[in-house]
Amino acid sequence: MKFLKLGCALALFSVFASCDQQKNKDANTEEVGEEISYEVDTTNYLYNINIDTLEVEQNKVKRNQNLSDILKDEGVSNVQIFELANQSKGIFDVRKIKVGNNYTLLFKQDSTKTLDYFIYDIDDINYVVFNLADSNNVFTGEKPVTLNKREVEGVITASLYQTLVDQEESPLLVNLLSDVYAWQIDFFHIQKGDAFKVIFYEKIVDEKVIGIDHIEAGLFTHQGKDYYAFDYLYNDKNEYFDEFGNSLRKEFLKAPLHFSRISSSFSYKRFHPVQKRYKAHLGTDYAAPIGTPIHTVGDGEIVAAGYSKYNGNYVKVRHNSVYTTQYLHMNKIKKGIRRGVMVKQGDVIGFVGKTGLATGPHLCFRFWKNGKQVDPRRQEIPSSDPLPDSLLGDYHKYIMPIKLELDKDHLIVSENDSTTVDPTS
């Protein structure tokens, strides 16, 4: 029996020893295992050019400077400048070099300091390279753009513009947001206490925000009602739809100007400031600075464009058999706008002025329905077609997580405060 116990003990010891040896073997194997090395590219690139052996200088185009002036100062001959200009034909017009735009010079890093490259920034993304070291080759390129998703929300106390500017947001966001809701919300009657939340993507180049790519979704609470907007690709085109799949686009825009002020509303009895008597004012006056672009509120055909004693410079657009609009007192009619021309919703057709019977710069906007002048702000304008039933399942699945994001911490809006605010203040 003792021998049996001793045998068992020795067997167990043998097993544990074997395990320890295997552990040590594995540990040793790890220690003496083959090392994996990775090559890291440490080359420095600028405009996709290896600049490790080049000297970099960056500057801005000065007033009255052109390509020849810049290159001559760096010792480039007239012959080579002429050749570069020829090589750039069809690629970039060297006469379009603008004051204030950035340019970069790349020199050989030796005693000669010969100019190898001249790179001009056409804008924040696009650039043109003049390769002086390689047969005066000229080509264009684009800087990589990164999209950064952001959310902004606020409660309006003065105006949409002021609310966003107070948060140090770009005025461009104001314009994009107003474009999204141009058919649902009359931005000339935004009220104190209205609220918004918007999800959008910024464009970033060289670690700097250069603009806004697009608005993904929005929630605008106006006069106690929620207006949702979701960007969705339909028929190879991105459009905005509400939470039920109805298009936000309607047959007519709410107004022909961006962020102006209604100085006189539609009325059957108004005291005329020039004629000094009461008469019907069958239009809506928008006060705005001279030169402000005027947009046609819908697709249609120009049926009149000219000048008259009372209307000044004016344009009239027939949209269909039911609706016609007219735009009066223009400073000037846009070039190319004449009788018979077809226009699309949002096209600029002229610019605010004070021609004809007008005391100051403004646009008088008139709206006909079945031949009778009516108040456009009181009309129920038909919407574009909604998404077909066959797409609604995919659409709701797509917008669900976005809507949850919009609804999170939903802004509380005061229902009792109906103070109208000036959208331009």
Side-chain angles (χ1 to χ4, degrees), residues 338-376:
R338 59 185 180 277
R339 184 183 176 91
V341 169
M342 303 301 295
V343 290
K344 303 292 287 183
Q345 186 180 72
D347 283 353
V348 175
I349 55 173
F351 305 90
V352 170
K354 54 178 182 177
T355 57
L357 197 62
T359 57
H362 74 285
L363 167 70
C364 178
F365 174 62
R366 295 179 178 250
F367 193 96
W368 280 264
K369 182 178 181 179
N370 293 320
K372 180 183 178 182
Q373 289 195 65
V374 295
D375 184 351

Side-chain angles (χ1 to χ4, degrees), residues 23-267:
K23 287 180 182 177
N24 290 335
K25 184 179 178 182
D26 291 341
N28 289 336
T29 302
E30 289 177 4
E31 287 175 6
V32 298
E34 195 173 314
E35 290 186 4
I36 301 173
S37 61
Y38 299 93
E39 276 192 27
V40 178
D41 186 2
T42 57
T43 308
N44 292 307
Y45 289 93
L46 188 62
Y47 298 99
N48 279 328
I49 299 169
N50 182 350
I51 60 169
D52 281 343
T53 59
L54 297 171
E55 185 178 325
V56 180
E57 286 187 17
Q58 294 180 314
N59 213 329
K60 291 183 183 290
V61 179
K62 298 179 179 63
R63 188 176 295 279
N64 298 323
Q65 259 191 334
N66 55 36
L67 178 67
S68 179
D69 296 327
I70 295 169
L71 296 184
K72 274 183 181 178
D73 288 344
E74 305 305 333
V76 181
S77 69
N78 287 330
V79 174
Q80 192 170 12
I81 293 171
F82 180 77
E83 178 63 23
L84 284 167
N86 272 338
Q87 291 277 28
S88 68
K89 286 181 179 176
I91 300 171
F92 174 73
D93 187 345
V94 296
R95 295 171 298 180
K96 292 186 177 180
I97 288 179
K98 297 178 182 177
V99 176
N101 280 27
N102 296 320
Y103 68 85
T104 301
L105 304 171
L106 302 181
F107 300 92
K108 278 189 173 66
Q109 226 173 40
D110 57 23
S111 58
T112 64
K113 199 184 176 183
T114 305
L115 183 63
D116 277 0
Y117 296 91
F118 168 72
I119 303 125
Y120 170 73
D121 286 351
I122 300 170
D123 52 39
D124 289 320
I125 298 172
N126 299 283
Y127 60 87
V128 57
V129 177
F130 295 81
N131 187 345
L132 289 79
D134 181 17
S135 305
N136 296 325
N137 185 26
V138 180
F139 59 92
T140 57
E142 292 183 6
K143 296 178 182 179
V145 179
T146 303
L147 297 184
N148 178 46
K149 184 177 179 178
R150 288 191 56 217
E151 291 182 17
V152 171
E153 60 185 284
V155 177
I156 295 170
T157 55
S159 68
L160 175 62
Y161 174 85
Q162 193 60 52
T163 303
L164 285 168
V165 168
D166 287 346
Q167 296 185 50
E168 298 184 352
E169 297 296 337
S170 167
L172 179 59
L173 185 57
V174 181
N175 293 333
L176 290 176
L177 196 56
S178 64
D179 285 343
V180 169
Y181 287 107
W183 295 270
Q184 280 67 43
I185 297 171
D186 185 349
F187 283 92
F188 300 100
H189 283 77
I190 283 182
Q191 296 180 344
K192 184 178 179 181
D194 284 355
F196 64 90
K197 186 173 186 178
V198 57
I199 302 170
F200 63 100
Y201 284 85
E202 293 175 323
K203 293 190 288 187
I204 299 176
V205 173
D206 294 335
E207 300 182 353
K208 182 181 76 172
V209 177
I210 64 162
I212 297 171
D213 186 73
H214 70 284
I215 288 176
E216 180 182 57
L219 169 58
F220 208 111
T221 303
H222 176 55
Q223 297 181 2
K225 182 179 178 181
D226 289 342
Y227 294 87
Y228 286 91
F230 300 96
D231 184 26
Y232 188 70
L233 183 64
Y234 175 56
N235 284 341
D236 297 321
K237 185 179 178 183
N238 282 83
E239 290 195 30
Y240 290 94
F241 297 86
D242 67 14
E243 68 271 38
F244 305 110
N246 298 312
S247 173
L248 264 61
R249 182 178 293 274
K250 292 196 175 185
E251 192 168 343
F252 298 113
L253 298 173
K254 280 284 189 179
L257 299 177
H258 286 311
F259 296 102
S260 176
R261 175 176 60 85
I262 293 179
S263 54
S264 181
S265 298
F266 184 97
S267 173

Side-chain angles (χ1 to χ4, degrees), residues 286-418:
Y286 294 90
I290 289 178
T292 301
I294 299 167
H295 305 265
T296 175
V297 296
D299 297 356
E301 179 186 0
I302 305 293
V303 292
Y307 180 88
S308 71
K309 179 179 178 181
Y310 296 108
N311 293 341
N313 293 317
Y314 74 97
V315 171
K316 194 170 187 178
V317 182
R318 182 173 59 227
H319 302 284
N320 51 36
S321 60
V322 177
Y323 298 106
T324 302
T325 56
Q326 190 176 24
Y327 312 78
L328 313 180
H329 309 306
M330 294 181 176
N331 183 48
K332 63 178 180 179
I333 298 168
K334 187 183 177 185
K335 186 177 179 181
I337 296 298
R338 59 185 180 277
R339 184 183 176 91
V341 169
M342 303 301 295
V343 290
K344 303 292 287 183
Q345 186 180 72
D347 283 353
V348 175
I349 55 173
F351 305 90
V352 170
K354 54 178 182 177
T355 57
L357 197 62
T359 57
H362 74 285
L363 167 70
C364 178
F365 174 62
R366 295 179 178 250
F367 193 96
W368 280 264
K369 182 178 181 179
N370 293 320
K372 180 183 178 182
Q373 289 195 65
V374 295
D375 184 351
R377 288 161 42 221
R378 295 182 180 275
Q379 305 306 305
E380 284 294 329
I381 305 300
S383 296
S384 297
D385 293 334
L387 289 171
D389 291 343
S390 59
L391 286 179
L392 286 179
D394 287 336
Y395 175 72
H396 287 129
K397 184 178 178 181
Y398 168 75
I399 70 167
M400 184 174 63
I402 307 172
K403 187 174 183 297
L404 288 173
E405 200 172 343
L406 287 173
D407 290 337
K408 185 181 178 182
D409 303 323
H410 193 299
L411 293 168
I412 299 172
V413 182
S414 172
E415 296 181 359
N416 298 324
D417 195 338
S418 60

